Amino acid sequence: MRSVLKTCQLELKVKGPVFVGSGYEIQKKEYILQGHKAGVVNPQKLFMLAKKKHLEAELERFMVKDTREDLKHWAMRKRISTDEMQRCMAYTLNAGDMQLEKGKMQIMACMKNPYGQPYIPGSSIKGMLRTILLCDEIMQNPEKYRRHAQQIKQDLRQQGVRRDRVLAGNIKSIEEETFHILERSEKQRDAVNDCMAGIIVSDSEPLSTEDLILCQKWEKHVDGNNKTINLLRECLKPGKVIRCTLTVDESLWKRTGKEFRAEDIMEAVQRFSERYQEAFLSKFTGNHTISNRTVFLGGGSGFVSKTMIYSLFEGREAVAVTKDIFEKTKVPREHKHEKDLLYGVSPHILKCTRYQGKEYMMGQCEMTLHPKES
């Protein structure tokens, strides 16, 4: 059957800082924090400056030696001026509201292309859509997934399960029943049967380092108290728009017995955001309301936005199951998940950050789909 491709422009307006990590950590010897700005050094430029000042050996010792000294204080000790260091910077980040209780921290770097431009991989956006479509299918057909819900509760009572394998089989079974419906091979579990193969999401258009800010991790407790965590991330700042292309192979999608429509995805987003607001966000103090086009993208956006638990279960049952998952995966007792039933929500922490005096939820975006003409 010949492929018939349908293309949409997908846009995500950043409402809360978005972090998609590259896995690289910028160490305290690689950046300088000055007021509300952080300069990330270009190592080649820094070496050339050190060479000019006959400090190559000193710079090498500083970079290799295990020391508490950061780049700013090393430069001051070597009488390198602020202007000279400024010319060694690859880029500068505006910093959010931070509380550095334990001194300098490494920065978790965001994804960048070979030209140093930040971008969002298509796989991250497709993973977000996959979760939303899965949750929507469960909410639309609760009886179909009732046995899976009961099996999860039963498995959580078992002893001796490795923490990294908790619910792994359950999630796989639910995803196979939902998405592995193409019948292109005899074994349902085979990846070739996954109907999501019919949806292709491109990497986003490249952005600029000027679109990045430096955010500290904040945890907002259900009673309104805040706690800062010594973790810094490079994030896309609120107001930016992430653009990519979503392409559907309609000839493949029709084998699911459905017609692909952009409106169906947006309706799924609406139901997902409404459940998130009602079951989770409404439990926290403060003015936390989201639009019906809200999605959550990237790291640090929290358990509820990444899992199907609040779609499989409702009310107090959802809270109890989530609490049991945290206990089974041996989340430290200092997180106090044993109190979640009393709080009426689990997890009882909202993942946030602060920037220019305003509180934001991590990863919050508003999504739109614009069909393109054939």
Side-chain angles (χ1 to χ4, degrees):
M1 182 182 294
R2 188 170 64 88
S3 295
V4 180
L5 303 181
K6 185 175 184 178
T7 304
C8 299
Q9 179 80 23
L10 189 154
E11 293 186 353
L12 296 166
K13 185 173 182 180
V14 177
K15 304 296 286 186
V18 171
F19 169 72
V20 176
S22 65
Y24 178 72
E25 293 184 354
I26 303 168
Q27 303 299 319
K28 65 181 182 180
K29 298 179 181 182
E30 299 176 274
Y31 75 96
I32 290 178
L33 186 64
Q34 189 78 38
H36 290 286
K37 290 186 179 292
V40 179
V41 76
N42 179 311
Q44 288 79 22
K45 290 182 179 180
L46 180 61
F47 176 77
M48 293 306 295
L49 175 64
K51 185 177 180 179
K52 179 181 177 182
K53 290 179 170 289
H54 308 291
L55 294 170
E56 305 101 304
E58 292 287 337
L59 177 61
E60 183 178 353
R61 277 194 292 272
F62 166 68
M63 287 296 182
V64 173
K65 188 178 179 181
D66 184 13
T67 174
R68 292 181 178 273
E69 190 174 32
D70 58 36
L71 181 59
K72 177 182 177 181
H73 289 91
W74 178 85
M76 291 172 61
R77 187 162 56 83
K78 297 301 175 184
R79 291 181 166 80
I80 301 175
S81 72
T82 301
D83 288 343
E84 287 175 314
M85 287 303 300
Q86 194 65 39
R87 289 194 289 271
C88 292
M89 296 302 157
Y91 57 94
T92 302
L93 301 168
N94 285 323
D97 304 351
M98 295 189 288
Q99 295 180 6
L100 307 181
E101 299 96 338
K102 300 177 183 177
K104 283 289 188 70
M105 300 172 276
Q106 63 265 37
I107 299 170
M108 298 181 71
C110 70
M111 287 291 295
K112 299 184 186 74
N113 64 21
Y115 302 100
Q117 298 168 308
Y119 76 101
I120 304 297
S123 57
S124 297
I125 298 172
K126 183 172 178 178
M128 175 196 75
L129 292 175
R130 186 183 181 93
T131 298
I132 290 171
L133 293 174
L134 176 61
C135 290
D136 187 59
E137 166 68 12
I138 293 170
M139 289 188 289
Q140 294 287 86
N141 303 283
E143 289 303 319
K144 177 182 175 181
Y145 294 91
R146 189 74 63 198
R147 60 184 176 85
H148 290 289
Q150 295 305 316
Q151 188 65 51
I152 284 175
K153 292 171 67 175
Q154 180 178 325
D155 291 349
L156 284 172
R157 291 193 289 268
Q158 291 184 2
Q159 301 298 318
V161 181
R162 280 173 43 187
R163 60 179 294 182
D164 61 338
R165 299 303 299 164
V166 172
L167 302 187
N170 307 83
I171 294 169
K172 185 177 180 181
S173 295
I174 293 171
E175 288 200 340
E176 286 178 0
E177 183 164 341
T178 303
F179 296 123
H180 288 220
I181 54 179
L182 291 182
E183 298 181 350
R184 295 200 289 186
S185 75
E186 293 182 359
K187 296 180 180 178
Q188 185 182 20
R189 66 175 177 269
D190 290 346
V192 294
N193 292 319
D194 191 337
C195 68
M196 288 296 288
I199 296 181
I200 304 100
V201 182
S202 72
D203 292 343
S204 77
E205 296 176 0
L207 293 120
S208 167
T209 51
E210 294 179 358
D211 299 324
L212 296 177
I213 56 175
L214 188 61
C215 294
Q216 184 175 14
K217 180 179 178 181
W218 289 63
E219 292 185 342
K220 182 168 185 177
H221 195 276
V222 69
D223 63 7
N225 290 325
N226 290 316
K227 178 183 178 182
T228 56
I229 308 296
N230 276 1
L231 178 65
L232 299 176
R233 301 180 175 114
E234 287 185 334
C235 300
L236 291 177
K237 63 184 177 183
K240 294 292 116 182
V241 178
I242 301 164
R243 294 183 175 90
C244 65
T245 300
L246 184 148
T247 303
V248 179
D249 185 341
E250 288 195 305
S251 63
L252 185 61
W253 193 259
K254 283 179 180 177
R255 297 176 68 170
T256 68
K258 303 174 184 177
E259 178 184 356
F260 176 83
R261 301 188 313 151
E263 307 93 271
D264 293 334
I265 290 185
M266 292 311 302
E267 287 173 7
V269 167
Q270 178 177 340
R271 288 187 285 266
F272 179 85
S273 59
E274 288 173 351
R275 176 63 63 90
Y276 187 91
Q277 174 76 52
E278 175 191 1
F280 181 65
L281 200 54
S282 64
K283 310 299 180 183
F284 293 84
T285 59
N287 184 27
H288 294 290
T289 56
I290 55 177
S291 77
N292 60 12
R293 294 187 289 114
T294 297
V295 296
F296 290 89
L297 175 66
S301 54
F303 176 88
V304 177
S305 69
K306 302 287 188 182
T307 63
M308 65 188 87
I309 298 303
Y310 274 81
S311 299
L312 275 170
F313 304 93
E314 296 186 52
R316 189 175 178 83
E317 188 178 29
V319 176
V321 169
T322 306
K323 175 188 74 70
D324 290 346
I325 291 172
F326 290 137
E327 289 178 356
K328 274 291 182 182
T329 51
K330 295 183 171 55
V331 172
R333 291 190 63 82
E334 65 193 57
H335 291 239
K336 300 180 181 179
H337 285 296
E338 71 277 2
K339 295 185 177 181
D340 286 354
L341 283 171
L342 178 64
Y343 293 138
V345 64
S346 183
H348 57 263
I349 297 293
L350 191 62
K351 301 297 180 70
C352 296
T353 192
R354 295 186 69 85
Y355 179 61
Q356 295 183 341
K358 186 176 179 180
E359 182 178 276
Y360 294 93
M361 290 188 290
M362 283 295 298
Q364 181 186 356
C365 297
E366 286 188 352
M367 176 174 152
T368 54
L369 271 179
H370 305 286
K372 290 186 176 181
E373 296 296 328
S374 303

